[in-house]
Amino acid sequence: MRIKEFVKTFRPYKVLEGNYRIWLDKNENPFDLPLEIKEEIFKELKKVPFNRYPHITSMPLREAIAEFYGVSPKNVAVGNGGDELLNYLTRIFDGNYVVTTPPTFAMYNFYARLNGIPVVEVPLKRGFIIDGEKIAEKAQKACVVFIASPNNPTGNVQPREEILKVLDTGVPVVIDEAYAEFSEKSYIDLLDEYENLIILRTFSKAFGLAGIRAGYLLASESVVDALYRIKSPFSLNVLTMTAARVMLNHYDLVKQNINYIVKERERIYQEFKEYTYPSEANFLLMKLDAYEFLLERGIVVRKLDGLLKGHIRVTVGKKEENDELIKALKEFVENVGDI
Ligand code: PMP
């Protein structure tokens, strides 16, 4: 048996072993579903036959999402997390390469590389804003452009005028809005006008369902049709689809959690303004090399590298968790100040 050398160029997933108290590293929602909603999901699941395969094109969940947004199910695709959809989106369009805008979400690069598609990077400008003109220039020969708004790990929303410059090329553009519920800014309104626009969303963040693995996209019928021709047939299981459908009926609770997280985000931001970038997501980018320092105190955050070496990305947690984070970071800042 010989494993391809190509496969060995990918790093194995690292699992952090240890007894850490506070997990602020994966941009998860700090709130699990309340027991009543879990009970509602279980009640729904009692009616679902487990011996049968799930719907091959996930129509029941697509219909529920379509109703939520007031669009047709033909404009909705769902995946086992947004990640699964990103994989297909790198493959369905003709072109020579994928365009990404570092520093940004690593999975665009990951799937492009996995699928043997070259990546052309157009770095973000000052303030982590996309360079619309430069992307438009590179887009001419691209199969797809990936833009995250709010961007991960920088937290900022991309300006409409820059997005329009890219969309006007007619090249497929994925606007990854995984964190859009925290910013209340979305480009969904542009879907009617731009056939080449694909909006990616997830149940993992504002909806608090990272464990169930469900993501979706809104796009033109031709994109959704293409995607369902190559998608793994049963990648969305009945448990996932049931939970996501139930949660769509509880947006009041989702909204309540969003408000809490935004308030806490601003509280942390105000404490460390000097070292922190403004954010419209559920995390903050901080110019503090405090990863190890926090880890020693039982707090796990994301350590960044490459263009953002020396920075950390901190997910907004529950109030008590944020209190501990603030306390530890104050200590860090004071110590660094002493040096
Ligand atoms: N896009 C961005 C920018 C993300 O940060 C994430 C999650 N980390 C995703 C997409 C995908 O999330 P999921 O696969 O959980 O839906």
Side-chain angles (χ1 to χ4, degrees), residues 37-323:
I37 298 183
K38 284 195 176 171
E39 295 287 3
E40 194 184 330
I41 294 168
F42 300 151
K43 208 172 126 206
E44 285 300 308
L45 278 173
K46 281 186 188 163
K47 302 180 209 160
V48 177
F50 285 8
N51 60 320
R52 301 289 177 190
Y53 283 100
H55 191 288
I56 195 159
T57 63
S58 310
M59 201 38 104
L61 179 55
R62 288 166 65 195
E63 279 169 356
I65 295 167
E67 198 186 316
F68 188 83
Y69 286 102
V71 299
S72 158
K74 288 184 179 164
N75 298 114
V76 181
V78 294
N80 189 301
D83 284 353
E84 185 192 12
L85 297 172
L86 287 173
N87 188 4
Y88 303 130
L89 288 169
T90 59
R91 303 199 214 179
I92 58 180
F93 305 106
D94 253 337
N96 298 346
Y97 49 77
V98 157
V99 175
T100 65
T101 63
T104 191
F105 188 42
M107 297 312 279
Y108 313 139
N109 220 308
F110 175 91
Y111 285 119
R113 203 153 78 78
L114 181 62
N115 293 318
I117 305 163
V119 176
V120 169
E121 298 187 331
V122 180
L124 297 175
K125 296 191 291 186
R126 256 181 98 82
F128 302 125
I129 302 295
I130 54 165
D131 187 339
E133 264 154 53
K134 189 83 179 278
I135 299 171
E137 190 189 301
K138 297 288 179 195
Q140 302 305 329
K141 290 186 186 143
C143 41
V144 60
V145 176
F146 289 105
I147 297 169
S149 181
N151 186 39
N152 176 10
T154 59
N156 59 301
V157 168
Q158 296 301 346
R160 184 168 284 252
E161 62 271 22
E162 297 298 312
I163 296 277
L164 290 177
K165 285 180 199 167
V166 185
L167 282 171
D168 281 332
T169 62
V171 167
V173 180
V174 176
I175 309 281
D176 182 345
E177 294 192 347
Y179 302 96
E181 292 94 341
F182 300 102
S183 71
E184 293 187 328
K185 288 180 193 140
S186 170
Y187 292 111
I188 287 181
D189 64 294
L190 294 174
L191 280 168
D192 286 339
E193 206 178 325
Y194 290 95
E195 224 204 329
N196 54 325
L197 171 61
I198 298 138
I199 301 277
L200 186 77
R201 291 270 182 137
T202 181
F203 283 96
S204 300
K205 310 296 176 181
F207 278 86
L209 295 175
I212 73 153
R213 311 304 301 128
Y216 56 99
L217 60 77
L218 308 176
S220 58
E221 278 185 37
S222 56
V223 170
V224 173
D225 173 79
L227 196 141
Y228 275 106
R229 288 169 191 255
I230 61 156
K231 187 177 163 295
S232 290
F234 302 113
S235 58
L236 260 110
N237 67 66
V238 291
L239 312 177
T240 295
M241 287 199 280
T242 304
R245 273 172 68 196
V246 166
M247 208 49 205
L248 279 172
N249 292 326
H250 290 284
Y251 199 73
D252 47 336
L253 175 71
V254 173
K255 188 69 201 147
Q256 204 177 304
N257 290 343
I258 292 169
N259 291 343
Y260 177 107
I261 290 162
V262 167
K263 218 167 120 192
E264 283 295 298
R265 179 187 76 204
E266 292 312 304
R267 185 167 73 94
I268 303 168
Y269 175 73
Q270 289 303 330
E271 290 281 357
F272 300 100
K273 239 179 174 167
E274 259 180 88
Y275 310 96
T276 309
Y277 296 89
S279 166
E280 298 202 56
N282 67 338
F283 56 83
L284 289 154
L285 174 65
M286 298 181 140
K287 197 168 189 291
L288 290 172
D289 201 357
Y291 176 79
E292 281 82 13
F293 184 91
L294 292 172
L295 205 60
E296 277 167 26
R297 283 148 188 83
I299 305 171
V300 188
V301 299
R302 181 73 187 271
K303 182 182 175 135
L304 299 172
D305 50 23
L307 294 167
L308 290 173
K309 193 169 186 298
H311 291 62
I312 52 170
R313 189 196 66 192
V314 179
T315 307
V316 178
K318 288 184 184 161
K319 187 174 178 312
E320 319 79 88
E321 297 173 323
N322 302 332
D323 284 343

